[in-house]
Amino acid sequence: MTDITSAWAELGGDPALLARVSTVTRADALPARLPVRELARACVGVCALAGAELGARRAALARVPRVRVDDGAVAVSFTSERRLLVDGRAPVAFAPLSRFWRTADGWVRTHANYPHHRVRLLRALGLPGDAAPTAVARLLAGRAALEVEDTVHAAGGLGVALRTPRQWTAHPQADAVAARPLVERGRLDGSRARGFAPLDGGPLLPAAGLRVLDLTRVLAGPVATRTLALLGADVLRVDAPHLPELPDQHADTGFGKRSALLDLSSDRRTFEELLAAADVVVTGYRPGALDRFGLSPEALAERRPGLVVAQVSAWGAYGPWGARRGFDSLVQAATGIAVLEGGAERPGALPAQALDHGTGHLLAAAVLRALTEQSYDGGSRSVRLALARTAAWLTGGTEAAGEGGRSAGSEPGEGVRMDEGDGKGMTKKEEPAADAGGLRDAGPWLAGTDSPLGRLRYALSPVSFDGGPRDWTRPPGAWGADPARWL
């Protein structure tokens, strides 16, 4: 079940602490056929509880602070990339080639937000680099969906065939995913118990003084590190100079962090200096992609005993798809979620990128719990999550719902443009009366600030406990503008 009790058990938390959690339920938040609201509430709830637990441990409090989860705050945060305004301008969520396409026998979902992914997609299809969406649509209309999936993957692009839940269940990757826990936790060595410096006065910041090396991209990993930054961590995101980030994506997920550029292939000395003083390393690249740089959990812990290594991927680091790239929208299409939320004849989507946001909050919770466990019995720790495993948690027990479309009387949380349009996933005439998260008024959970990027309107974090922080201490700065060193 997608509830806080099962999520807290996955994290190894003390069940008695669940009594410290209260919920403000809002029936209009994150409307969907699947229990998206319940999943989102559980992920945020365990993240806040893990933060409160660590804060109580560090501040020597007699009781863990009370946690309050508000469905409104959760819904707004889970749609943060659509809440963002930069000097009044709304970002473009999806590029024109990131969408569903009709094929000869079904549908394919592609992802081409990054320029290099667009190039690979068009190259795989034998189209010129300036090909219009209409040319892609004409070509794919005559191709089989699974053939397109294989061709695009072979070229390093991103695209998956739409599958029903039953079709996904029959796939070997689904078997590999189902065999794993929602949160994989491991101990890497027998290093001594972690000691924490005393917390200063002011808001209770459970991660204060901790250094988090952020090697993540899109979207779950950055959500996790953004949350750790809220809770007081010094988060340094490091990117390769040849892989620039999308500006609006950086503006959304860069709160509380610093951003530096570092080429691991030519400047290992700087990286090793950062690692030597890090407490947590979070990676979000395709499984195995960073191993050649000595960044597997085992290799990192060997060089930095006492480290917490957190990893997130799309499909999991196992099974036939273990080395594949992926994004939330692709996982929704492959695992049957798009069919459950729409239908086989017209795929739908969740009201938010809930796999990304939910997994990101679970990842942050797993890091916080690992830090708490280290304070008792030490050991370098590893935690690992996958969007596909979160999808299995969301869809568990839905077999009785069948392979069809949305249940009677429910409304889609997000319109999905299929054949033409601007690539944003919704045309103007398709916008629902309520906003992206299903709410009539998102104002209480939005804030504004000036930044080096301009005037920002942004979603506040839904992670809340008594005495804890209410907002980030710094807005995002320019991508890659900070030095690659700790404060």
Side-chain angles (χ1 to χ4, degrees):
M1 294 179 61
T2 50
D3 58 21
I4 190 171
T5 301
S6 61
W8 189 242
E10 289 273 354
L11 292 163
D14 179 358
L17 294 182
L18 292 169
R20 307 299 291 167
V21 182
S22 63
T23 301
V24 178
T25 302
R26 301 180 190 274
D28 57 343
L30 299 174
R33 184 182 186 189
L34 290 166
V36 177
R37 180 172 61 250
E38 291 78 8
L39 176 141
R41 181 193 300 152
C43 293
V44 169
V46 295
C47 185
L49 185 56
E53 178 191 31
L54 179 59
R57 173 73 171 162
R58 294 192 61 183
L61 301 180
R63 301 191 72 185
V64 170
R66 292 189 178 277
V67 169
R68 183 174 182 268
V69 185
D70 190 311
D71 283 351
V74 173
V76 171
S77 176
F78 269 53
T79 52
S80 65
E81 65 276 7
R82 282 182 268 168
R83 308 287 181 178
L84 180 72
L85 294 178
V86 182
D87 287 331
R89 174 188 59 83
V92 175
F94 287 100
L97 299 187
S98 295
R99 45 183 279 200
F100 278 106
W101 308 87
R102 175 76 80 171
T103 65
D105 59 351
W107 296 89
V108 163
R109 176 87 194 207
T110 58
H111 195 287
N113 283 5
Y114 285 98
H116 58 290
H117 290 157
R118 174 189 168 90
V119 169
R120 292 171 186 170
L121 173 64
L122 293 175
R123 184 182 299 150
L125 300 178
L127 293 172
D130 59 351
T134 50
V136 177
R138 284 195 299 270
L139 178 68
L140 293 182
R143 304 274 292 272
L146 290 176
E147 175 199 350
V148 174
E149 178 182 274
D150 290 341
T151 300
V152 171
H153 168 65
L158 289 148
V160 300
L162 178 75
R163 288 172 171 82
T164 66
R166 188 172 293 116
Q167 288 170 332
W168 175 247
T169 300
H171 194 283
Q173 187 62 27
D175 286 338
V177 168
R180 302 290 177 131
L182 176 64
V183 182
E184 295 184 69
R185 302 181 296 126
R187 182 170 179 150
L188 300 172
D189 59 30
S191 56
R192 64 184 184 182
R194 175 183 291 275
F196 288 107
L199 293 178
D200 297 330
L204 183 62
L205 299 173
L210 298 176
R211 290 168 169 167
V212 177
L213 191 54
D214 180 358
L215 307 176
T216 69
R217 295 170 73 84
V218 205
L219 180 63
V223 166
T225 51
R226 181 178 70 183
T227 303
L228 295 173
L230 173 81
L231 299 178
D234 175 12
V235 178
L236 179 64
R237 174 164 162 173
V238 174
D239 286 284
H242 66 281
L243 288 175
E245 182 58 284
L246 301 174
D248 291 336
Q249 195 160 265
H250 170 68
D252 174 45
T253 61
F255 280 88
K257 309 178 190 179
R258 292 178 298 120
S259 170
L261 301 182
L262 185 64
D263 189 341
L264 294 181
S265 62
S266 62
D267 192 357
R268 290 304 303 276
R269 178 178 178 179
T270 298
F271 178 81
E272 293 301 324
E273 290 173 350
L274 291 172
L275 176 63
D279 299 288
V280 179
V281 175
V282 185
T283 68
Y285 288 78
R286 176 174 53 90
L290 298 178
D291 287 2
R292 64 190 176 97
F293 298 110
L295 300 183
S296 68
E298 295 78 11
L300 289 168
E302 183 177 352
R303 304 201 302 280
R304 177 70 165 110
L307 195 67
V308 174
V309 184
Q311 298 175 298
V312 62
S313 63
W315 307 105
Y318 39 74
W321 283 17
R324 291 201 180 199
R325 300 173 178 87
F327 293 94
D328 184 306
S329 59
L330 301 185
V331 177
Q332 288 191 41
T335 61
I337 289 174
V339 171
L340 289 170
E341 288 297 324
E345 292 304 311
R346 187 173 178 81
L350 299 176
Q353 293 189 70
L355 304 180
D356 265 330
H357 285 273
T359 305
H361 282 90
L362 282 176
L363 190 67
V367 169
L368 295 165
R369 287 247 60 250
L371 291 166
T372 296
E373 290 175 343
Q374 283 184 329
S375 72
Y376 290 100
D377 58 4
S380 299
R381 307 284 174 139
S382 67
V383 297
R384 186 165 64 187
L385 289 95
L387 303 189
R389 183 61 184 85
T390 305
W393 188 41
L394 175 64
T395 59
T398 60
E399 290 83 357
E403 305 284 298
R406 187 173 302 276
S407 56
S410 62
E411 294 296 330
E414 178 187 0
V416 180
R417 186 69 173 176
M418 299 299 175
D419 301 310
E420 295 184 88
D422 57 8
K424 298 179 184 179
M426 181 183 289
T427 61
K428 292 298 182 182
K429 66 181 179 181
E430 291 173 320
E431 288 191 32
D435 71 9
L439 303 173
R440 299 290 175 174
D441 180 16
W445 304 289
L446 295 171
T449 186
D450 293 320
S451 80
L453 307 178
R455 180 69 183 177
L456 302 180
R457 188 196 74 175
Y458 62 97
L460 293 167
S461 173
V463 174
S464 176
F465 52 85
D466 287 350
R470 300 303 183 200
D471 201 351
W472 291 274
T473 58
R474 56 178 291 161
W479 179 78
D482 295 296
R485 63 173 181 262
W486 298 114
L487 293 175

